[in-house]
Amino acid sequence: MYRQGDVLIVPLDEAAVPPHAADAPQEPRDARGRLVLALGEVTGHAHAVLGPGRLLREPGAVGPLLLHLPDGGRVVHEEHAAIPLPKGWYRVVRQREYVPGSVRLVAD
Amino acid sequence: MTATVGTAGTTGVTGGIGGAGAVGPVGAGGAAEPAGVPAGAAAGDVDGWRAVAAATGPADRAAAEAGVRLAYRRAGLAEPERIVWAGSPRAALRLLREAPDGPCGPAARGRSVREAVRSAPWAAERGRLNELLGARGWGRRWAVTGARLWETTERLADRIRAGLVEEAAGGPADEAEVRLLLLDAVLGQHDAAWLCAFGTEPGSPLEGLAAVARSAGWWWPYERLAVVCERPVELHRDEAGRLDRGDGPALAYGDGFALHAWRGMPVPAAFPAELRALTPERIRTEENAELRRVMLEFYGYDRYLRESRAKPVHRDDTGVLWRIPLPDDEDVAMVEVVNSTPEPDGTSRTYWLRVPPDTRTARQGVAWTFGLEADAYAPLRET
């Protein structure tokens, strides 16, 4: 697994990819053609993947996201070093924080 | 005019929490629409509507009034005889609650036409697109447009409604009256989330509504008059899009209507001033657990830990686990984590995350923040 700031990218066995993934709506790429894993609301800084692939949103407001990179790719961010990702499927998990009575996401 | 987006005065942008943001045109990522979707069915750009929802500064009154009149005409209604401006939704409610025979009272305004002006055209457009794209296609369209903006925009509108009810309502009867009037409101800029899923180009059924949204705040359409509000003058949010400000109102209108919040949590108006004068003793003695949490966050966990001479509970290669016992409350358990990528000046940023109070090790705490068990958390690479 790989971690870039508040985003964890966990390799997923092909066998563990949910069947609906084949047909699930894809997240659109941003204006720069990237797959955006997480977007900072104020700074606009993004954890984003370059290269061919698909990003699928699992049910629920905050994901997780499924990422398929048939040829591998690179996850980049304005404030973090890039991480090369081997080809395959991944689950993308946002970091959360404990709040008594609820849970909230971290935004770095 | 409708092709441009009113971004003047924008102080920030918003979007769905979790923010895997769609910022390209619909279809750019493969959520392509079926062939044969005619011109005029294309959805607007998410980024532009995101900016509309977060826009601050004076309304473009001429554009908004033209939009109001157009929306009435498209609904098959006569244009309103008068368009009255209000500094905020609070001021609009005051106008509408004046004496029954007042200039904006029930007699002068006639019945609400929100259904005809806003809801019916919206439902018709949704039905038409559902037909055109199929239920699945419509679902896809929504997922890459409106769903992106829905959560943060709806949350903001909810907070405004709650603030209006709290301020305006003197008793149960007052509260019911305010709530009923709020049902008549069209949300203007805060309708951006759903407008974004539809075509709003010249000639389209939603053109007038979209024009008001791009130029003004909330508005109330009645048979004989429309009351239209200015946009806020200040809007401060955190990276997750929640209202957030430590030194003043997080949302403020020019006429003084304001909401205070810290990382999304509503706080009393006097609270920010109090935050600046905090002491560990004051934090310890705060009885409201939520306010105490805000105080701790504002004060800084690290500073509080230092000054209260807290000891680290556990340390491993993922970070340090701390615990702060609080009287009559569960312990605050925190993991201290060092950001793996150095800042431009070469230093490493330390940050603190609250974890469940039963956390025993730093690794268990960090793993929990990603929904994992301690032994499953093993990044090959971290930056």
Side-chain angles (χ1 to χ4, degrees):
Chain A
M1 65 182 68
Y2 305 86
R3 175 172 167 190
Q4 190 182 57
D6 58 355
V7 169
L8 191 70
I9 304 164
V10 186
L12 195 60
D13 276 352
E14 192 94 24
V17 175
H20 64 256
D23 205 25
Q26 292 180 40
E27 295 290 296
R29 288 173 183 267
D30 72 359
R32 291 149 72 180
R34 309 177 304 174
L35 296 167
V36 178
L37 307 183
L39 176 70
E41 296 292 343
V42 174
T43 58
H45 290 173
H47 299 278
V49 171
L50 307 169
R54 297 197 302 150
L55 186 63
L56 313 170
R57 182 173 292 263
E58 289 281 82
V62 297
L65 296 157
L66 293 176
L67 173 67
H68 185 214
L69 298 174
D71 305 323
R74 260 157 66 82
V75 57
V76 298
H77 186 277
E78 287 80 353
E79 293 180 332
H80 297 272
I83 302 179
L85 298 173
K87 69 179 178 183
W89 281 87
Y90 297 90
R91 243 179 61 229
V92 179
V93 185
R94 284 291 296 274
Q95 192 163 37
R96 60 180 178 167
E97 187 174 10
Y98 176 78
V99 174
S102 71
V103 158
R104 65 178 165 178
L105 293 178
V106 173
D108 74 359
Chain B
M1 180 190 77
T2 47
T4 59
V5 166
T7 52
T10 300
T11 56
V13 293
T14 183
I17 196 169
V23 289
V26 175
E33 313 230 297
V37 172
D45 75 302
V46 176
D47 254 3
W49 283 113
R50 196 190 292 272
V52 166
T56 53
D60 178 341
R61 292 193 173 196
E65 291 185 12
V68 167
R69 295 182 202 285
L70 181 59
Y72 275 64
R73 290 200 304 276
R74 287 280 155 82
L77 302 172
E79 291 180 4
E81 294 158 24
R82 287 184 295 145
I83 294 179
V84 180
W85 281 88
S88 71
R90 179 180 70 184
L93 287 174
R94 280 187 185 152
L95 283 173
L96 296 169
R97 296 182 73 203
E98 278 173 2
D101 56 354
C104 295
R109 65 183 185 242
R111 64 185 171 83
S112 168
V113 293
R114 180 182 186 275
E115 172 66 23
V117 166
R118 188 265 197 201
S119 303
W122 166 72
E125 274 298 273
R126 194 179 55 166
R128 193 176 68 83
L129 281 175
N130 205 42
E131 185 89 356
L132 197 64
L133 304 173
R136 210 182 156 81
W138 165 250
R140 285 173 187 237
R141 150 106 49 136
W142 178 255
V144 297
T145 55
R148 292 275 171 279
L149 307 182
W150 187 260
E151 195 178 317
T152 39
T153 313
E154 184 60 15
R155 196 169 43 195
L156 179 58
D158 268 348
R159 281 283 288 118
I160 294 172
R161 280 190 205 98
L164 291 168
V165 168
E166 196 179 313
E167 270 206 29
D174 274 342
E175 181 174 333
E177 189 188 351
V178 168
R179 286 187 189 280
L180 282 173
L181 283 170
L182 286 174
L183 293 178
D184 293 342
V186 180
L187 299 191
Q189 67 178 143
H190 297 146
D191 279 331
W194 69 263
L195 280 166
C196 146
F198 298 94
T200 56
E201 66 289 340
S204 64
L206 304 178
E207 183 188 358
L209 286 167
V212 187
R214 289 184 174 114
S215 6
W218 292 19
W219 59 290
W220 276 259
Y222 292 95
E223 273 177 301
R224 298 176 54 199
L225 71 89
V227 176
V228 189
C229 296
E230 289 288 342
R231 292 184 286 218
V233 291
E234 300 216 43
L235 176 64
H236 303 268
R237 287 176 300 169
D238 65 7
E239 277 283 276
R242 303 167 299 201
L243 283 178
D244 176 43
R245 188 169 171 199
D247 60 354
L251 175 80
Y253 286 82
D255 68 353
F257 175 61
L259 300 174
H260 291 75
W262 171 257
R263 296 193 189 172
M265 205 191 93
V267 296
F271 196 65
E274 194 181 353
L275 285 177
R276 289 193 292 279
L278 281 177
T279 62
E281 179 57 20
R282 171 74 189 87
I283 296 170
R284 261 192 301 275
T285 55
E286 170 57 48
E287 287 181 5
N288 180 319
E290 287 201 313
L291 293 182
R292 188 167 54 211
R293 170 165 72 74
V294 174
M295 289 175 169
L296 267 172
E297 284 189 354
F298 188 89
Y299 193 72
Y301 291 107
D302 48 344
R303 191 172 153 206
Y304 185 85
L305 289 167
R306 222 168 32 241
E307 292 182 9
S308 57
R309 296 192 176 79
K311 296 258 189 305
V313 175
H314 182 262
R315 188 187 297 267
D316 59 33
D317 59 349
T318 66
V320 184
L321 179 68
W322 296 82
R323 185 179 303 280
I324 309 171
L326 291 175
D328 306 320
D329 197 358
E330 64 185 31
D331 289 356
V332 176
M334 310 280 308
V335 282
E336 175 189 351
V337 183
V338 177
N339 210 345
S340 301
T341 300
E343 300 292 310
D345 66 0
T347 60
S348 288
R349 186 165 68 100
T350 298
Y351 64 102
W352 303 77
L353 296 172
R354 190 163 176 183
V355 294
D358 59 0
T359 305
R360 295 289 163 241
T361 68
R363 173 173 299 277
Q364 188 191 355
V366 174
W368 180 90
T369 67
F370 290 111
L372 297 175
E373 298 294 328
D375 51 3
Y377 178 75
L380 271 178
R381 188 138 181 232
E382 287 183 75
T383 68

Short mmCIF file of all heavy atoms in Angstrom, two decimals, chain B residues 40-67:
data_model
loop_
_atom_site.label_atom_id
_atom_site.label_comp_id
_atom_site.label_asym_id
_atom_site.label_seq_id
_atom_site.Cartn_x
_atom_site.Cartn_y
_atom_site.Cartn_z
N GLY B 40 -28.49 21.35 -26.00
CA GLY B 40 -29.47 21.88 -25.06
C GLY B 40 -29.68 20.93 -23.90
O GLY B 40 -30.29 21.28 -22.92
N ALA B 41 -29.18 19.72 -24.01
CA ALA B 41 -29.31 18.78 -22.90
C ALA B 41 -28.02 18.71 -22.10
O ALA B 41 -27.96 18.10 -21.05
CB ALA B 41 -29.67 17.40 -23.41
N ALA B 42 -26.96 19.34 -22.61
CA ALA B 42 -25.66 19.24 -21.96
C ALA B 42 -25.68 19.92 -20.59
O ALA B 42 -26.29 20.97 -20.42
CB ALA B 42 -24.59 19.89 -22.83
N ALA B 43 -25.05 19.30 -19.63
CA ALA B 43 -24.99 19.87 -18.29
C ALA B 43 -23.92 20.95 -18.24
O ALA B 43 -23.00 20.97 -19.04
CB ALA B 43 -24.67 18.77 -17.29
N GLY B 44 -24.07 21.86 -17.28
CA GLY B 44 -23.12 22.94 -17.11
C GLY B 44 -21.83 22.45 -16.50
O GLY B 44 -21.72 21.31 -16.09
N ASP B 45 -20.85 23.35 -16.43
CA ASP B 45 -19.57 22.90 -15.90
C ASP B 45 -19.57 22.98 -14.37
O ASP B 45 -20.03 23.93 -13.77
CB ASP B 45 -18.43 23.70 -16.52
CG ASP B 45 -18.33 25.09 -15.95
OD1 ASP B 45 -19.33 25.83 -16.04
OD2 ASP B 45 -17.28 25.43 -15.41
N VAL B 46 -19.05 21.91 -13.76
CA VAL B 46 -19.10 21.78 -12.31
C VAL B 46 -18.30 22.89 -11.63
O VAL B 46 -18.74 23.47 -10.65
CB VAL B 46 -18.58 20.40 -11.90
CG1 VAL B 46 -18.54 20.27 -10.39
CG2 VAL B 46 -19.46 19.31 -12.50
N ASP B 47 -17.13 23.19 -12.17
CA ASP B 47 -16.29 24.22 -11.56
C ASP B 47 -16.98 25.57 -11.52
O ASP B 47 -16.90 26.31 -10.55
CB ASP B 47 -14.98 24.37 -12.35
CG ASP B 47 -13.83 23.76 -11.59
OD1 ASP B 47 -14.08 23.20 -10.49
OD2 ASP B 47 -12.70 23.86 -12.09
N GLY B 48 -17.62 25.91 -12.64
CA GLY B 48 -18.30 27.19 -12.72
C GLY B 48 -19.43 27.28 -11.70
O GLY B 48 -19.57 28.27 -10.99
N TRP B 49 -20.21 26.21 -11.59
CA TRP B 49 -21.32 26.21 -10.63
C TRP B 49 -20.81 26.16 -9.19
O TRP B 49 -21.42 26.70 -8.28
CB TRP B 49 -22.28 25.06 -10.92
CG TRP B 49 -23.18 25.34 -12.09
CD1 TRP B 49 -23.18 24.72 -13.29
CD2 TRP B 49 -24.22 26.35 -12.16
NE1 TRP B 49 -24.15 25.26 -14.10
CE2 TRP B 49 -24.80 26.26 -13.43
CE3 TRP B 49 -24.69 27.31 -11.26
CZ2 TRP B 49 -25.84 27.09 -13.84
CZ3 TRP B 49 -25.73 28.14 -11.66
CH2 TRP B 49 -26.29 28.03 -12.94
N ARG B 50 -19.67 25.51 -9.01
CA ARG B 50 -19.04 25.49 -7.69
C ARG B 50 -18.72 26.93 -7.25
O ARG B 50 -18.94 27.32 -6.11
CB ARG B 50 -17.74 24.68 -7.79
CG ARG B 50 -17.11 24.23 -6.51
CD ARG B 50 -15.72 23.67 -6.80
NE ARG B 50 -15.70 22.42 -7.55
CZ ARG B 50 -15.77 21.21 -6.99
NH1 ARG B 50 -15.86 21.09 -5.68
NH2 ARG B 50 -15.74 20.14 -7.72
N ALA B 51 -18.22 27.70 -8.20
CA ALA B 51 -17.90 29.10 -7.91
C ALA B 51 -19.17 29.91 -7.65
O ALA B 51 -19.18 30.80 -6.79
CB ALA B 51 -17.09 29.70 -9.06
N VAL B 52 -20.23 29.62 -8.38
CA VAL B 52 -21.50 30.32 -8.16
C VAL B 52 -21.98 30.08 -6.74
O VAL B 52 -22.37 31.01 -6.03
CB VAL B 52 -22.56 29.84 -9.17
CG1 VAL B 52 -23.96 30.29 -8.75
CG2 VAL B 52 -22.24 30.35 -10.57
N ALA B 53 -21.94 28.82 -6.29
CA ALA B 53 -22.44 28.49 -4.96
C ALA B 53 -21.66 29.22 -3.88
O ALA B 53 -22.20 29.55 -2.83
CB ALA B 53 -22.37 26.98 -4.74
N ALA B 54 -20.38 29.49 -4.14
CA ALA B 54 -19.52 30.10 -3.12
C ALA B 54 -19.33 31.60 -3.34
O ALA B 54 -18.58 32.24 -2.61
CB ALA B 54 -18.16 29.41 -3.12
N ALA B 55 -20.01 32.17 -4.33
CA ALA B 55 -19.77 33.58 -4.67
C ALA B 55 -20.17 34.50 -3.53
O ALA B 55 -21.17 34.30 -2.86
CB ALA B 55 -20.52 33.94 -5.95
N THR B 56 -19.38 35.54 -3.32
CA THR B 56 -19.70 36.58 -2.35
C THR B 56 -19.65 37.91 -3.06
O THR B 56 -19.17 38.00 -4.19
CB THR B 56 -18.68 36.59 -1.20
OG1 THR B 56 -17.36 36.69 -1.75
CG2 THR B 56 -18.76 35.33 -0.35
N GLY B 57 -20.14 38.95 -2.37
CA GLY B 57 -20.09 40.29 -2.96
C GLY B 57 -21.43 40.67 -3.53
O GLY B 57 -22.34 39.85 -3.63
N PRO B 58 -21.54 41.94 -3.91
CA PRO B 58 -22.84 42.49 -4.32
C PRO B 58 -23.47 41.70 -5.47
O PRO B 58 -22.78 41.21 -6.36
CB PRO B 58 -22.51 43.90 -4.79
CG PRO B 58 -21.18 44.21 -4.20
CD PRO B 58 -20.46 42.91 -4.02
N ALA B 59 -24.79 41.58 -5.41
CA ALA B 59 -25.53 40.95 -6.48
C ALA B 59 -25.41 41.79 -7.75
O ALA B 59 -25.21 43.00 -7.68
CB ALA B 59 -27.00 40.82 -6.09
N ASP B 60 -25.53 41.13 -8.88
CA ASP B 60 -25.71 41.86 -10.15
C ASP B 60 -27.23 42.04 -10.29
O ASP B 60 -27.93 41.15 -10.78
CB ASP B 60 -25.12 41.04 -11.29
CG ASP B 60 -25.32 41.72 -12.66
OD1 ASP B 60 -26.19 42.61 -12.76
OD2 ASP B 60 -24.61 41.35 -13.60
N ARG B 61 -27.70 43.18 -9.78
CA ARG B 61 -29.15 43.33 -9.63
C ARG B 61 -29.88 43.32 -10.98
O ARG B 61 -30.96 42.74 -11.10
CB ARG B 61 -29.47 44.61 -8.87
CG ARG B 61 -29.03 44.52 -7.41
CD ARG B 61 -29.61 45.63 -6.56
NE ARG B 61 -29.30 45.40 -5.15
CZ ARG B 61 -29.91 45.99 -4.14
NH1 ARG B 61 -30.89 46.87 -4.39
NH2 ARG B 61 -29.58 45.73 -2.90
N ALA B 62 -29.28 43.95 -12.00
CA ALA B 62 -29.95 44.00 -13.30
C ALA B 62 -30.09 42.58 -13.86
O ALA B 62 -31.16 42.18 -14.34
CB ALA B 62 -29.16 44.88 -14.26
N ALA B 63 -29.00 41.80 -13.77
CA ALA B 63 -29.04 40.44 -14.30
C ALA B 63 -30.02 39.58 -13.51
O ALA B 63 -30.77 38.78 -14.08
CB ALA B 63 -27.64 39.82 -14.26
N ALA B 64 -30.03 39.77 -12.19
CA ALA B 64 -30.93 38.97 -11.35
C ALA B 64 -32.38 39.31 -11.66
O ALA B 64 -33.23 38.41 -11.78
CB ALA B 64 -30.62 39.21 -9.88
N GLU B 65 -32.67 40.60 -11.79
CA GLU B 65 -34.07 41.00 -12.05
C GLU B 65 -34.52 40.49 -13.42
O GLU B 65 -35.66 40.02 -13.57
CB GLU B 65 -34.21 42.52 -11.95
CG GLU B 65 -34.03 43.01 -10.52
CD GLU B 65 -34.29 44.51 -10.35
OE1 GLU B 65 -34.83 45.14 -11.29
OE2 GLU B 65 -33.96 45.03 -9.27
N ALA B 66 -33.61 40.55 -14.40
CA ALA B 66 -33.96 40.01 -15.73
C ALA B 66 -34.23 38.51 -15.62
O ALA B 66 -35.16 37.98 -16.25
CB ALA B 66 -32.83 40.28 -16.71
N GLY B 67 -33.44 37.82 -14.81
CA GLY B 67 -33.62 36.39 -14.61
C GLY B 67 -34.95 36.08 -13.94
O GLY B 67 -35.65 35.13 -14.31
#
